[in-house]
Amino acid sequence: MVLQANIDHWNRERGPRLERVTFRNDLSPEEALTLVCDTEGEVDIVTEVSPASAQRVENSAHARLDTIDAMRVLVGIINRDAEPFGDVQARKALNLAVDRDKLIREGFKGYASTTAALIPHYCAGYAEDLKPYPHAPGEARRLLTEAGYPEGRALRLAALPGLEGVAELLADDFRASLGVQVDIIAIPAEDLLAAQHAFVEKVIKPTFDVLVFAWFDLSSDAPASFMHSWFYHSMGAFRAGAPIEEFELLVERYVRQTDSQQLNQLDAEMDRLAYDQALSVFLCAPQALYAVNKHVKFVGHASTFEVAETEVDAGHWSRSRPRGS
């Protein structure tokens, strides 16, 4: 796909600053990374660089690593219909069992920030009084026992494709902190669509206790509209458990609110409810990583990928090569 600049656009202050942008969909992630790191003239920006590949970009002679605090979160969706996870104490036990610093260090090479609930600390609607659940194995085990977790029952931890490594790290924490066996259910890519339909349409009760799940927000101004409502509202595609009356009432107020400040106060209120009730296993907010040619000035955005403000300097291959070459 090729985008041609609209030089008559009214907002000349923002752009365009590029004559033409070509999106290539004929390359694998590995091929694209090789081209941006080892060559010039083929690829200038690679999106969704994995943390495991970040050092390769850092070491490149042609590219640099750009990191963006993005509107994306990693959570464990708790199946509140699975006993004893209808009990808030059991859900808090799961949160207290996780070493988030280790997860970020080993699973994301440091390219993530801890979250207290769903809203990252750099986002509108963030409740500053919320702090991430601490790693407290003793308290976690006590709460799970008091909630009546059946002796000998394995915790069922499911993971979407690409999140198996995160699931392994979480499983280690759950085993060590809670003293339970953990069975990891890795969903094969070929079965993903069917599993998504079953979960989203609520036609079959989930068989997992916790599902490792990555989600994003398309509205950095009103995060609950894309995050909380999808996870916890009665119409939420990713809700796993009965609707929550208090949350339903908050959403009723939310959809009628037009004042941005009041809207963000409701965002924070929803986040506090999610935190207090431990409605998910709150993990982290991964950064978006880009490999960018060193002669490209790329302006990243928290929720979308845009190139209107992107420009190149005089050393860029498109300006240093004669036209037609």
Side-chain angles (χ1 to χ4, degrees):
M1 182 175 71
V2 178
L3 300 182
Q4 194 73 27
N6 175 13
I7 59 174
D8 296 322
H9 190 266
W10 65 271
N11 190 356
R12 295 303 298 274
E13 181 180 349
R14 187 181 181 202
R17 295 176 171 82
L18 300 172
E19 179 180 328
R20 182 183 301 108
V21 176
T22 302
F23 288 84
R24 296 189 61 176
N25 59 4
D26 58 343
L27 299 171
S28 69
E30 180 60 31
E31 290 171 327
L33 201 61
T34 296
L35 289 174
V36 75
C37 288
D38 301 342
T39 70
E40 285 193 305
E42 293 289 341
V43 173
D44 286 312
I45 300 175
V46 175
T47 65
E48 302 303 327
V49 173
S50 72
S53 299
Q55 192 59 49
R56 178 181 178 187
V57 182
E58 295 274 26
N59 295 339
S60 168
H62 300 288
R64 70 175 186 277
L65 185 73
D66 279 11
T67 60
I68 307 297
D69 285 332
M71 292 302 301
R72 52 184 70 181
V73 293
L74 180 75
V75 301
I77 295 178
I78 300 174
N79 178 11
R80 291 179 287 110
D81 286 333
E83 289 299 328
F85 297 111
D87 187 331
V88 64
Q89 299 292 76
R91 300 194 298 271
K92 286 185 176 180
L94 293 175
N95 276 281
L96 293 169
V98 178
D99 185 341
R100 290 163 183 77
D101 291 336
K102 185 186 76 170
L103 174 68
I104 290 173
R105 184 175 62 253
E106 297 184 9
F108 294 90
K109 309 302 181 186
Y111 296 104
S113 57
T114 56
T115 51
L118 287 183
I119 302 179
H121 66 87
Y122 43 80
C123 175
Y126 172 68
E128 294 187 2
D129 56 304
L130 294 183
K131 304 301 178 186
Y133 278 95
H135 181 219
E139 179 69 1
R141 189 174 299 200
R142 182 185 70 80
L143 290 178
L144 192 67
T145 300
E146 290 183 359
Y149 191 84
E151 186 176 352
R153 170 177 159 349
L155 183 73
R156 297 163 298 191
L157 179 63
L160 296 179
L163 295 175
E164 298 90 348
V166 173
E168 292 285 355
L169 291 171
L170 284 179
D172 288 344
D173 280 350
F174 289 147
R175 293 185 187 107
S177 298
L178 301 173
V180 299
Q181 178 184 339
V182 180
D183 292 341
I184 296 178
I185 307 166
I187 302 172
E190 59 270 22
D191 296 339
L192 179 59
L193 185 60
Q196 287 174 327
H197 276 295
F199 182 35
V200 168
E201 295 170 6
K202 309 292 187 282
V203 294
I204 302 174
K205 286 193 174 184
T207 57
F208 60 80
D209 295 312
V210 179
L211 170 65
V212 184
F213 193 86
W215 188 232
F216 60 92
D217 186 1
L218 291 176
S219 173
S220 57
D221 296 327
S225 59
F226 266 86
M227 299 171 88
H228 301 72
S229 61
W230 283 66
F231 283 102
Y232 310 131
H233 188 247
S234 55
M235 298 296 290
F238 311 136
R239 174 176 55 81
I244 303 161
E245 183 178 359
E246 187 177 353
F247 191 82
E248 299 293 300
L249 295 174
L250 283 172
V251 172
E252 286 182 19
R253 293 166 55 194
Y254 196 83
V255 298
R256 294 196 301 266
Q257 185 56 251
T258 57
D259 180 83
S260 59
Q261 186 173 1
Q262 294 294 320
L263 199 67
N264 286 156
Q265 288 180 7
L266 287 170
D267 285 316
E269 197 169 339
M270 290 189 198
D271 225 27
R272 289 190 189 96
L273 175 60
Y275 176 88
D276 291 340
Q277 292 297 312
L279 295 178
S280 301
V281 182
F282 304 111
L283 300 172
C284 64
Q287 290 182 307
L289 306 183
Y290 298 86
V292 183
N293 181 279
K294 291 183 177 179
H295 294 288
V296 175
K297 179 185 176 183
F298 171 66
V299 179
H301 292 264
S303 55
T304 57
F305 173 72
E306 301 180 28
V307 291
E309 299 151 296
T310 297
E311 55 188 305
V312 301
D313 64 29
H316 188 257
W317 60 269
S318 66
R319 299 178 67 178
S320 59
R321 290 180 185 176
R323 282 190 176 272
S325 63

